[in-house]
Amino acid sequence: MKPTTEPHASNFIREIVADHVEAGTYGGRVATRFPPEPNGYPHLGHGMTICLNFGLAQEFGGQTYLRFDDTNPETESEEYARALEEAVRWLGFEPVEVRYASDYFEQFYAWAVDLVKKGLAYVDSQSEEAIRANRGTVTEPGTPSPYRDRPVEENLRLLDEMRRGLHPDGSHVLRARIDTEHGPMAHPNMKLRDPLMYRIRRDAHHYRRGDTWAIYPLYDWAHGQGDAIEGITHSICTLEFDVNRPLYNWYLDAIGIPEPRNHQYEFARFNLDYTVMSKRKLLRLVEEGHVAGWDDPRMPTLAAQRRRGVRPEALRSFFQSLGVTKVNGSIELQQLEYAIRDDLNHIAPRVMAVSRPLKLIVDNLPEETAWIDAPYWPHDVTPPTHAPTSRRVPLTRELWIERDDFSEDPPKGWRRLAPNTEVRLRHSYVIRCTGVEKNDAGEITAVRTEADLSTFDPATGEGQNPEGRKVRGVIHWVSAEHALRAEFRLYDRLFTDPNPGAHEDFLSVINADSLVATEGFVEPSVEDDPADTRYQFERLGYFWQDPEDSTPDALVFNRIVALKDTWGRVLKAETGHHKLTGYDAQLIVHRNPVLRDPASGLSDAERATYDALVDRGVGEEEAAVLAAEDALRDLFEQVVSAHDTPREASVLLVHDLRPALGDRALADSKATPEALATVLRLVEADTLTRNAAGEVASVLVNDGGDAQTIIAERGLAAVRDDAALAPDIDAVLTEHPDEAARYRAGEQRLIGFFMGQVMRRVGKGADAKAVQTLLRERLDA
RNA sequence: UGCCCGAUGGUGUAAUGGCAGCACACCACUCUUUGGAAGUGGUUGUGGAGGUUCGAAUCCUCCUCGGGCAACCA
């Protein structure tokens, strides 16, 4: 495996893959796929999926296919497919091969014929409406189609005719014929009510297959099979497909794909605040002209982020920071912005630009231009190798400064220029404001200043503070004579509400100021740089030239991301303007504790059983479980008849045996009543600790056998005498002197830490009470 | 309302019965020729109620809340 720079943060899917690799489930092989439908431009969500799939395979020495899920000719196109492919490469990944679901159509069809022959699929000739109506609802079962038992020969003939385009759209479909214990068309999972496999699209033109096919497979009848054909091991998709998983497996069973085969795992897609991510909504933004196109830098598409100037490194680190879970949530914009800044900070040379110019005149400077050798990098950034470390910046009497950097009536905390105050010109003199010039309208047209010539030496680039005073403010500037004219495009969030999708019309919360274009100036040095140089314009943010619109004669700079703005925060707080990011206080619902009857959910008959159990000494919670679960209660009675301690038996069965079962039925348990009774006897006799009893129960469930043997084999017999425990306790105390000191200093809760350490050393046989007594004795001594 | 999935500070995510940690955000301070970066410190959390256990974010029960599923979309 080739080492990567970014560490692999773990997540639940990675754990599964790692377990499979270690267990050799697929012979150590890992194969993933990125399976987009080419019906839209890829966005950040796709980026996450790309990084997950490719990253996982990369880490475990596996491979990843790019597979276009092009089963719907009506919405898909070559343009989208190319954009998707480009996005993968831009993010830094190379598919082992590019595949198309449409290349598998012949194989899918052969499998479909096979299913028909097996009686597992049929041609349904109901209308679309009838099919929908007969599917039932989430709460009511559906009705089997009158064509469900159509003879195999007829199905075969019709399917062939459908394929050859002999039937109009909508006249027939091919459906899977799924029988379960719930009866036909009655499974609580709607996906399992005879799902459609093929629909007729006679006149649709597929962008790759042309007109060769008159029928097209649906998602479920394509995806798992595509995975199987490619030998995918881990098929990762988003959460909403979890209900499709049983069908995914049903189809694989039906066509006879043996284990070890592809399996589906789901994770939560992420939402980003102040953004929409659905293809439909993005399409509307583009088509209705709310943005300039799919790659408008305000869009969450990868093309847009790229054009904006975001680097793939930043996105990869952002996705990494997000993690992979099954929790539906929303990411704050700052998390993305942090990743972008963090990436740019160490690769972007610092230069000066003025986005909203104001003329400033330094009256006591000489006429001739002074050229200052100004460092590209701040003291705390190590420049990339081979990067130039400085450039020449012209200093003249007339400069442009930022309009926001001067105030006639500065607010509290102002560290910029104001009448009679001093400020440092970045890389140059300390200047003092001596006056302002205004036009007839009273607007400031120029600021007049004088430089303290002792504070800077243009020849050496050395500067020092004036005698006895510390100048805190620093402002950036460009020479009015030498600066290059430029347009600056300042981007902000596209919406004013963190969750635009929650509004009936998401366009109602569109941010009118999401793009502000200004005319300003940039220092002349940029003229000599490669056009794709990413800069930090000091005190403004990270910028680069727009790759579409910028030309040497008409420079256009995109603001990739603003700098973190502590001053802006202070100002807004003081002026009472609430930050856009502020959330409404969450509604706190205080619920009164209610006294609950554990038996409240039981039927009358179960209630009687429950009462009887409680009378025999069984705890209420346990009694409720036993009353509701007949099989478990039968076992309970058998255990009790072997050893008559109902309370203890109920605890063992409900809290130890049942969880050990997991998803399996009780019938799969290998634990005999007699063995369980023995466990109870041993606990009663203090030969077995309660902790170890759970362990024994778990082994009994999985492997059967008798309690005594298991205890002997695993060394689970109770250990409680001081002599046996002392060595381990002493060892733990010696290994953790710091914790011991903290405990003695009053951090009593650390007893839990020590307990854990000792228990881990001795094993489940250790008697917790004895350990604790001994531990306290030692620690208090 | 049937089935499925989920719930840890404001946000994202760790802790796999044993010290509730990390990052973003926020606040304060240090440093600073970027109100950047960096550094130090701090505020804030296991949805609720019971149960099991020496010990529960973790296991069990019920409740609450959120999401998904009834396209000839994927």
Side-chain angles (χ1 to χ4, degrees), chain A residues 354-359 400-408 414 416-417 437 439 443-447 475-476 519 539-540:
Chain A
V354 172
S355 63
R356 293 181 177 86
L358 172 64
K359 180 69 66 69
W400 294 111
I401 65 162
E402 207 68 53
R403 218 157 249 285
D404 284 353
D405 282 339
F406 179 79
S407 171
E408 274 196 293
W414 186 255
R416 307 174 183 186
L417 199 58
E437 291 174 9
N439 61 16
E443 295 160 344
I444 298 170
T445 53
V447 179
I475 63 171
H476 59 273
E519 290 286 335
R539 304 209 306 131
L540 290 181

Side-chain angles (χ1 to χ4, degrees), chain A residues 273-304:
Chain A
D273 284 354
Y274 301 100
T275 309
V276 293
M277 212 90 90
S278 92
K279 285 179 192 167
R280 220 197 80 250
K281 293 197 175 81
L282 294 177
L283 187 64
R284 258 192 86 186
L285 288 170
V286 173
E287 285 189 336
E288 296 178 16
H290 300 286
V291 294
W294 286 104
D295 66 347
D296 185 304
R298 292 167 290 180
M299 293 280 276
T301 57
L302 294 171

Side-chain angles (χ1 to χ4, degrees), chain A residues 34 42 66 68 80-90 93 95 98 100:
Chain A
F34 170 52
L66 167 58
F68 291 104
Y80 293 132
R82 293 291 74 82
L84 258 341
E85 194 171 337
E86 208 172 296
V88 171
R89 301 219 157 84
W90 179 67
F93 301 105
V98 180
Y100 299 82

Side-chain angles (χ1 to χ4, degrees), chain A residues 102-315:
Chain A
S102 55
D103 285 345
Y104 306 149
F105 281 175
E106 282 75 13
Q107 176 66 69
F108 295 162
Y109 185 80
W111 275 325
V113 169
D114 185 42
L115 255 57
V116 170
K117 287 179 180 164
K118 288 179 181 160
L120 292 176
Y122 62 97
V123 173
D124 194 351
S125 307
Q126 295 181 100
S127 71
E128 194 173 332
E129 298 70 43
I131 290 175
R132 208 188 338 263
N134 287 339
R135 187 150 30 221
T137 70
V138 288
T139 52
E140 304 153 39
T143 312
S145 165
Y147 302 97
R148 199 169 194 266
D149 295 317
R150 179 122 73 181
V152 169
E153 288 313 314
E154 192 182 335
N155 282 324
L156 253 17
R157 178 179 56 80
L158 283 168
L159 179 59
D160 178 60
E161 290 171 5
M162 286 162 61
R163 178 181 62 85
R164 291 191 287 139
L166 270 37
H167 297 281
D169 289 11
S171 56
H172 309 282
V173 292
L174 186 73
R175 301 181 74 174
R177 193 173 186 281
I178 299 182
D179 285 310
T180 68
E181 69 273 23
H182 300 274
M185 293 296 290
H187 200 281
N189 181 345
M190 302 284 297
K191 298 282 178 201
L192 261 23
R193 321 241 264 226
D194 288 7
L196 274 59
M197 296 166 63
Y198 282 104
R199 79 286 212 175
I200 301 172
R201 287 290 176 272
R202 205 164 49 165
D203 304 320
H205 184 83
H206 191 278
Y207 78 102
R208 293 193 74 246
R209 301 307 305 271
D211 302 313
T212 49
W213 286 87
I215 57 172
Y216 291 91
L218 278 100
Y219 167 84
D220 292 293
W221 178 244
H223 205 93
Q225 290 89 311
D227 288 343
I229 290 169
E230 290 159 12
I232 301 302
T233 54
H234 303 266
S235 182
I236 301 166
C237 63
T238 45
L239 230 43
E240 70 271 21
F241 288 99
D242 65 339
V243 287
N244 299 58
R245 186 169 5 101
L247 183 55
Y248 181 101
N249 293 327
W250 190 91
Y251 279 139
L252 292 176
D253 286 339
I255 64 176
I257 305 290
E259 293 281 7
R261 70 186 184 197
N262 44 307
H263 285 270
Q264 177 185 306
Y265 306 90
E266 310 91 23
F267 75 102
R269 68 169 76 231
F270 70 91
N271 302 298
L272 191 59
D273 284 354
Y274 301 100
T275 309
V276 293
M277 212 90 90
S278 92
K279 285 179 192 167
R280 220 197 80 250
K281 293 197 175 81
L282 294 177
L283 187 64
R284 258 192 86 186
L285 288 170
V286 173
E287 285 189 336
E288 296 178 16
H290 300 286
V291 294
W294 286 104
D295 66 347
D296 185 304
R298 292 167 290 180
M299 293 280 276
T301 57
L302 294 171
Q305 295 301 305
R306 178 184 186 170
R307 176 170 175 187
R308 184 165 174 158
V310 174
R311 302 203 313 161
E313 287 86 344
L315 255 24

